[in-house]
Amino acid sequence: MISQKAKYALRALAALAKSNEAGPVQISDIARDQAIPKKFLEQILLELKHDGIVESRRGKQGGYLLRRPANDITFGEVLRLIDGPVAPLPCLSQIAYRRCEDCDGEKQCEIRHVFARVADATRNILFNTTIADAVAGVEVPELLTA
């Protein structure tokens, strides 16, 4: 399961994508509209800002906006940033590989073979689905066949 923090990050990014043409959006507006605790949202947006996904503007007309186009920000990128590796097993992680403690050998591991297929399918969907896709309501099968 993804964390609540990751869900909030994705919801905030979707809100920013929807209003990107209108300019910066204040944290209080996102927090209210998306039912996200404001202090928690501030931390999330700072993390997203640090990694170049959003930017902030100061002043009366200030707030947050996407730094990159919504069609260039994937669910996989955001999940990996917020929650860490997206693999179901440590031995399948692309960024934080670790041999399982009780492993007798990865080539013979039946569990690893099944979850490798799960991980590949999950990564395919997450890293090929963008915030723009989610806002537009694009269905997953459309992404896989496109």
Side-chain angles (χ1 to χ4, degrees), residues 45-54 67-68 77 81:
L45 290 173
L46 281 174
E47 194 169 338
L48 294 172
K49 179 182 176 183
H50 176 74
D51 286 294
I53 295 174
V54 300
R67 185 170 185 183
R68 298 182 356 228
E77 171 187 11
L81 169 69

Side-chain angles (χ1 to χ4, degrees), residues 11-133:
R11 287 182 16 207
L13 290 170
L16 291 174
K18 288 177 186 175
S19 63
N20 210 33
E21 298 295 320
V25 182
Q26 294 187 349
I27 288 178
S28 56
D29 293 337
I30 298 169
R32 181 194 64 238
D33 295 345
Q34 297 299 317
I36 302 171
K38 186 178 174 190
K39 287 288 185 191
F40 197 26
L41 180 58
E42 288 172 353
Q43 295 171 2
I44 292 166
L45 290 173
L46 281 174
E47 194 169 338
L48 294 172
K49 179 182 176 183
H50 176 74
D51 286 294
I53 295 174
V54 300
E55 64 181 84
S56 63
R57 299 220 176 122
R58 293 182 176 205
K60 188 173 182 177
Q61 301 298 319
Y64 279 86
L65 62 156
L66 297 178
R67 185 170 185 183
R68 298 182 356 228
N71 64 358
D72 187 41
I73 304 167
T74 69
F75 270 58
E77 171 187 11
V78 175
L79 287 176
R80 189 173 273 164
L81 169 69
I82 301 294
D83 285 348
V86 294
L89 297 171
C91 63
L92 294 170
S93 177
Q94 293 180 340
I95 63 165
Y97 171 86
R98 213 177 64 242
R99 185 178 171 142
C100 295
E101 292 176 17
D102 58 349
C103 185
D104 288 338
E106 292 176 2
K107 291 187 180 189
Q108 302 91 279
C109 181
E110 299 86 0
I111 296 168
R112 184 178 199 277
H113 293 287
V114 171
F115 279 97
R117 293 195 318 260
V118 171
D120 289 343
T122 301
R123 280 189 201 103
N124 184 33
I125 293 168
L126 292 176
F127 286 95
N128 288 296
T129 304
T130 66
I131 299 298
D133 294 330

